[in-house]
Amino acid sequence: MTNGMQTVTVLGREYAISLPDFDKREDLALMWHGAAGAADGAALRRIAAAALGLCSPIGKRAGVAWEAHGCSVLAYGGKVYSWLREQKATIPDIVEQGGKAVAACADSVFPREAEVETRSGFSAPTGGDLTS
């Protein structure tokens, strides 16, 4: 990691993860979870590539525009995936590094319970009946 920031390494270069808009982060996280649960390797590869394209300069380097692919994770990710493979990126590297980007997106959209409690200053009741 560079300066405490989360990073991905793609084609031998390290990039800081830059989170896209909320809707894209949510789509990536939900689709990753669904594809992982269904053991859909083809979808996981495309979702991982989409995450790399949306969370790093890889999408621009590949010349792939989100809107040009109907704002579809799988369509966009398929184009980024194809470009990455043509550049000799390996499937395990795409899935591993893309998974790191998806995890960063998921953490920002679906914070863990401990994080919510910390951020909101949550404290458990100290006892007694709160209704009286």
Side-chain angles (χ1 to χ4, degrees):
M1 291 209 291
T2 306
N3 298 330
M5 296 183 70
Q6 292 179 307
T7 62
V8 291
T9 302
V10 184
L11 301 171
R13 293 186 59 190
E14 186 175 33
Y15 301 99
I17 294 173
S18 175
L19 296 177
D21 294 336
F22 185 91
D23 61 329
K24 294 172 189 154
R25 295 186 316 237
E26 184 177 60
D27 285 352
L28 288 167
L30 292 173
M31 291 188 75
W32 180 271
H33 179 70
D40 186 345
L44 282 174
R45 290 190 294 271
R46 284 155 182 74
I47 297 162
L52 291 172
L54 292 169
C55 297
S56 77
I58 292 299
K60 287 186 177 152
R61 284 187 60 199
V64 182
W66 172 254
E67 293 80 12
H69 294 87
C71 301
S72 164
V73 170
L74 293 178
Y76 173 80
K79 292 296 185 183
V80 175
Y81 176 78
S82 293
W83 182 84
L84 286 166
R85 294 292 287 142
E86 289 168 0
Q87 304 305 307
K88 308 296 185 224
T90 67
I91 293 169
D93 284 346
I94 293 168
V95 173
E96 178 185 347
Q97 297 303 306
K100 288 170 54 176
V102 170
C105 289
D107 287 348
S108 73
V109 173
F110 305 109
R112 293 179 208 99
E113 185 177 338
E115 292 171 352
V116 172
E117 291 174 2
T118 300
R119 288 181 189 166
S120 65
F122 176 83
S123 60
T126 56
D129 184 358
L130 298 177
T131 59
S132 43

